[in-house]
Structures are given as C-alpha cells and as structure tokens.
Amino acid sequence: MSPSEDLLAVCFKNNDLATVSMNQLVPSTADVVDPFKLKKLLEKDIQFDYLYNGFHNGSITNIDICVQRPLIATCSQEDSTIRIWNYANFRCELAVMFSVREDHKNELNPLLSIAFHPSGYYLAVGFIDRLEIFHVCSEELRSYRMLTQVKSVNCVKFSRSGHMLAIAYPRPNHS
C-alpha cells in the first residue's frame, strides 16, 4: 500500500508484480447502497499495471548476454517464455511466450535454448521442432529464419564476431 493509500502493489502466484488503483477496488458509499451499482462493480474487470513485464514462472534454463548492448536474454522451459533484460536500467524490455504447435500437442515445453547475436539484434532459439532466428525488435521478436530440419536444439551459440552459429541437437534414429 502506498503512503497515501491510493495505490496497491500486488504479487501474483506466477511472480508477476503489478500495481492497481484503490479506486478500482474499493467502491464509494453510494455504490454500496445501490444493489445494481454494487453488482456492476463486482463484475468489473480490474486493470493492473505490470512492472518490469513480470518474471519467469519457473527456473531459468538458459541465459545469454549480448556483447555490444546492455542486454541479457533468459528462457524458461517451465513457462515457455523468453525475456530480454536491460541491465543498464534494471528492467525487462521484452517478454514473449511460446505455445505448443498443433503437431506437437503431446510435448509440454517447446522452448529449449537461446543465443544472442553479439550485436543484440538477432536471437537464435532452439525449439523441440525447429531452430528459429528472430530479429529483436522493440515490441516483439520477429521471425527471420526457420530451420525445421533441425529438431530439439539443446545448445546454441553465436561465434564472437557473430558470423557463425553453432548448434547441438540429438542425432535422429535411423533404425
């Protein structure tokens, strides 16, 4: 609760932090007396202002740092999210959640590994069904290349200059 008691900070079960105005939560005396207004207030959606785009809902399974920009990328298999953090201003710049594709519904966690290009403008991501390279934009990750022949990439790394990309993935069974 803020000192002026007009703002409430909330921590959710998935570790997200948000604030909400007390005006949205506490009705006025006139609204409580009128049963129609009270019912309408109880059914109203509450608008939360999230701080830092939240946090991972599970353990961080992979992390990489950008050499030329103050950015760190983290991924979590448990919540299938990638977050890009700016360590100069201590905030999460971008949070992207990946869902399971239709042809892999039996798989739980599609996200396996990440690697930042040294420039910070590309991010290589290993999934259970592909390797994908994204442009890192201010509001989104935009797909640049997708390699569907490469599956279950559990380790990916750009060279120091960024002109090569090394990947490790299990050998397919050809029995």
Side-chain angles (χ1 to χ4, degrees):
M1 182 74 69
S2 68
S4 60
E5 297 184 357
D6 61 341
L7 196 65
L8 178 68
V10 181
C11 181
F12 295 96
K13 189 176 182 179
N14 66 354
N15 295 331
D16 281 345
L17 293 174
T19 58
V20 63
S21 171
M22 288 301 290
N23 294 338
Q24 291 186 50
L25 299 177
V26 180
S28 67
T29 310
D31 292 338
V32 173
V33 175
D34 186 358
F36 295 110
K37 285 185 179 179
L38 182 62
K39 182 177 187 235
K40 195 173 188 178
L41 280 172
L42 293 174
E43 293 173 349
K44 181 178 78 169
D45 288 336
I46 297 173
Q47 181 65 38
F48 289 98
D49 295 319
Y50 287 89
L51 304 174
Y52 305 116
N53 279 340
F55 301 98
H56 286 292
N57 191 18
S59 61
I60 293 174
T61 53
N62 208 322
I63 186 169
D64 199 17
I65 189 165
C66 174
V67 177
Q68 297 175 7
R69 296 172 65 195
L71 299 174
I72 296 174
T74 58
C75 76
S76 174
Q77 282 183 312
E78 293 176 38
D79 63 2
S80 295
T81 61
I82 291 177
R83 296 185 186 273
I84 297 178
W85 306 87
N86 186 325
Y87 61 82
N89 62 10
F90 305 108
R91 58 173 283 168
C92 180
E93 298 285 334
L94 182 64
V96 180
M97 183 174 200
F98 292 93
S99 58
V100 178
R101 293 165 64 135
E102 288 298 321
D103 53 340
H104 288 280
K105 283 293 186 188
N106 58 342
E107 302 287 343
L108 297 176
N109 304 313
L111 187 60
L112 298 176
S113 58
I114 57 169
F116 243 135
H117 187 272
S119 69
Y121 294 107
Y122 296 98
L123 188 71
V125 182
F127 293 94
I128 55 173
D129 60 343
R130 69 192 184 281
L131 172 72
E132 195 161 355
I133 300 172
F134 293 95
H135 281 289
V136 178
C137 302
S138 60
E139 299 290 323
E140 66 179 345
L141 291 178
R142 189 171 296 149
S143 183
Y144 172 68
R145 283 273 190 269
M146 187 184 312
L147 301 171
T148 55
Q149 309 90 323
V150 181
K151 299 180 185 334
S152 299
V153 176
N154 50 26
C155 186
V156 59
K157 185 71 176 157
F158 279 99
S159 64
R160 288 183 188 215
S161 60
H163 69 288
M164 292 187 286
L165 178 66
I167 58 174
Y169 61 99
R171 195 175 200 165
N173 293 335
H174 293 294
S175 306

